[in-house]
């Protein structure tokens, strides 16, 4: 028994202490709920500021772990604790002591929450989508491929509202069933669409769109910089999508607008975009090329520079423990 006590004490010494500062600066956190912030963001008379976007993302992260919190006015400490628990889900940590169920949950949603948890990059992408223009019509129809947490569906919902759409229909495609189930639970509470478990490389996946014209497609299933395109499904998904539903994409906007690819940064580069179905344009095998930049708001942004101008909103101590989108 004494040996067991010594063992437990030794393990506790290895536990990481709680993070010393909150995940966002005190001065930018709003005493509002996620539902309140989304309502404000969807009003075109309101500036879609960086502060508002970071509040939405931080509170959405909390709501993904605790779906019932979407209407709750949380404290910055509440939100920071969930980020802390997620960041240390694989390690000994004081903030997860005695919480094996929560640890298992955080591990099961790991990849999706890593993407969301990269706050500067996610904020850059969210704002690019949400702030864009879409010609008004009867219904805003959006598609998110590789939906994960559904945060880009959230961005499309804000975009639709800001562009005056009263009727919004959003669909997501996700291959992980566990993630899909939680994402649907959260999105249903927010009224922001539904995700299905299917393979976007298969033509039948696009039957969920019901033959309707699509206003916007988000697809960031890209490998990280210096990795070949064959490691992820982006070009294969795009090829299938444009072969299967070309007429439904005629008026669609896209994120990314383009992807700059090549064999090396100093070699000849090609831009994959809607004009070449994001999947053609060179005799050299495209699958062997690497992505170097995303086209956002009409300009190429190096992949490792996405979110660069927004890093000041996340304390440096957190940047080393939060996940990376790429």
């Amino acid at each position: 028994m004494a040996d067991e006590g010594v063992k437990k004490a030794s393990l506790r010494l290895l536990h990481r202490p709680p993070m010393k500062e909150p995940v966002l600066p005190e001065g930018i956190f709003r005493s509002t709920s996620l539902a309140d912030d989304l309502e404000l963001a969807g009003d075109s008379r309101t500036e879609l500021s960086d502060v508002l976007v970071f509040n939405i993302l931080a509170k959405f992260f909390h709501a993904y772990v605790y779906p019932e919190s979407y209407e709750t006015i949380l404290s910055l400490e509440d939100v920071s604790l969930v980020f802390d628990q997620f960041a240390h889900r694989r390690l000994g940590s004081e903030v997860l002591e005695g919480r094996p169920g929560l640890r298992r949950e955080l591990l099961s949603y790991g990849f999706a929450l890593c993407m969301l948890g990269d706050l500067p990059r996610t904020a850059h992408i969210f704002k690019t989508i949400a702030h864009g223009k879409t010609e008004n019509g009867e219904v805003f129809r959006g598609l998110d491929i590789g939906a994960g947490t559904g945060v880009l569906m959230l961005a499309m919902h804000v975009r639709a509202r800001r562009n005056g759409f009263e009727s919004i229909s959003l669909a997501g495609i996700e291959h992980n069933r566990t993630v899909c189930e939680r994402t649907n639970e959260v999105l249903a509470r927010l009224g922001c669409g539904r995700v299905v478990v299917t393979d976007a490389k298969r033509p039948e996946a696009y039957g969920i769109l019901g033959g309707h014209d699509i206003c916007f497609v988000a697809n960031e299933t890209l490998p990280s910089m210096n990795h070949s395109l064959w490691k992820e499904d982006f070009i294969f998904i795009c090829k299938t999508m444009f072969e299967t539903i070309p007429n439904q994409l005629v008026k669609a906007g896209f994120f990314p607008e383009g992807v700059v690819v090549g064999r090396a940064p100093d070699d000849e580069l090609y831009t994959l975009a809607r004009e070449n179905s994001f999947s053609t344009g060179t005799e050299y095998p495209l699958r062997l090329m690497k992505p170097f930049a995303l086209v956002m708001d009409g300009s190429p942004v190096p992949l490792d520079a996405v979110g660069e101008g927004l890093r000041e909103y996340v304390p440096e101590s957190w940047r080393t423990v939060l996940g990376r989108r790429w």
Side-chain angles (χ1 to χ4, degrees), residues 5-318:
V6 170
K7 182 179 179 181
K8 287 183 177 179
S10 299
L11 288 173
R12 279 196 296 273
L13 288 173
L14 295 175
H15 280 190
R16 276 70 174 176
M19 296 292 288
K20 293 181 179 179
E21 55 187 332
V23 70
L24 296 178
E26 296 272 2
I28 75 165
F29 192 77
R30 291 163 43 86
S31 296
T32 49
S33 68
L34 172 60
D36 292 335
D37 289 342
L38 286 171
E39 184 69 25
L40 187 64
D43 186 341
S44 61
R45 297 168 298 180
T46 300
E47 179 191 0
L48 190 62
S49 66
D50 296 339
V51 167
L52 181 55
V53 169
F54 271 90
N55 271 268
I56 288 171
L57 297 181
K59 293 167 190 174
F60 184 65
F61 192 100
H62 188 283
Y64 199 85
V65 181
Y66 299 105
E68 70 282 356
S69 74
Y70 77 105
E71 289 185 309
T72 303
I73 297 177
L74 303 165
S75 69
L76 181 53
E77 289 72 23
D78 293 330
V79 172
S80 297
L81 175 60
V82 175
F83 275 92
D84 195 345
Q85 290 167 331
F86 177 73
H88 296 102
R89 66 198 181 280
R90 293 192 179 94
L91 307 169
S93 172
E94 290 181 22
V95 295
L96 278 171
E97 190 169 8
R99 305 291 303 275
L102 176 60
R103 187 191 294 273
R104 284 194 297 271
E105 256 196 354
L106 294 174
L107 286 168
S108 66
Y109 308 139
F111 182 73
L113 280 176
C114 272
M115 302 285 275
L116 175 59
D118 188 350
L119 292 174
R121 288 182 178 82
T122 302
H124 191 171
I125 295 167
F126 187 102
K127 192 170 182 180
T128 297
I129 294 173
H131 205 263
K133 298 298 181 185
T134 297
E135 186 177 341
N136 204 335
E138 290 186 9
V139 183
F140 182 101
R141 301 184 189 277
L143 173 64
D144 185 5
I145 300 174
T149 62
V151 68
L152 300 190
M153 294 172 70
L154 215 63
M156 282 189 262
H157 193 272
V158 172
R159 180 191 184 109
R161 288 291 186 220
R162 293 183 71 86
N163 281 278
F165 286 86
E166 293 295 330
S167 182
I168 303 170
S169 177
L170 303 177
I173 292 174
E174 171 57 43
H175 65 86
N176 184 305
R177 185 171 297 278
T178 300
V179 168
C180 183
E181 289 173 355
R182 172 49 61 92
T183 299
N184 277 329
E185 182 180 356
V186 179
L187 292 180
R189 293 171 185 261
L190 296 170
C192 289
R194 182 165 180 80
V195 182
V196 298
V197 179
T198 188
D199 183 353
K201 300 189 300 298
R202 299 175 65 87
E204 55 266 31
Y206 300 93
I208 63 172
L209 302 174
H212 297 290
D213 289 347
I214 305 303
C215 295
F216 198 87
V217 178
N219 177 15
E220 51 168 341
T221 55
L222 286 161
S224 56
M225 206 162 186
N226 298 319
H227 287 83
S228 299
L229 286 167
W230 65 263
K231 286 186 172 290
E232 296 291 345
D233 290 336
F234 184 85
I235 58 173
F236 311 111
I237 287 171
C238 289
K239 184 175 186 297
T240 301
M241 180 172 60
F242 275 88
E243 288 178 350
T244 306
I245 56 167
N247 295 333
Q248 292 174 245
L249 301 173
V250 171
K251 297 181 180 180
F254 288 87
F255 178 83
E257 295 165 41
V259 183
V260 180
V261 303
R263 286 177 282 186
D266 55 354
D267 204 343
E268 186 175 5
L269 299 177
Y270 302 85
T271 299
L272 306 180
R274 66 175 307 139
E275 291 76 20
N276 54 28
S277 303
F278 290 89
S279 58
T280 57
T282 169
E283 293 182 3
Y284 187 81
L286 190 59
R287 66 185 183 281
L288 300 181
M289 291 191 173
K290 301 171 183 177
F292 293 109
L294 303 183
V295 179
M296 302 173 68
D297 290 329
S299 301
V301 180
L303 205 57
D304 59 354
V306 175
E308 188 173 46
L310 300 171
R311 290 174 191 166
E312 63 183 275
Y313 290 100
V314 179
E316 189 172 352
S317 62
W318 281 94

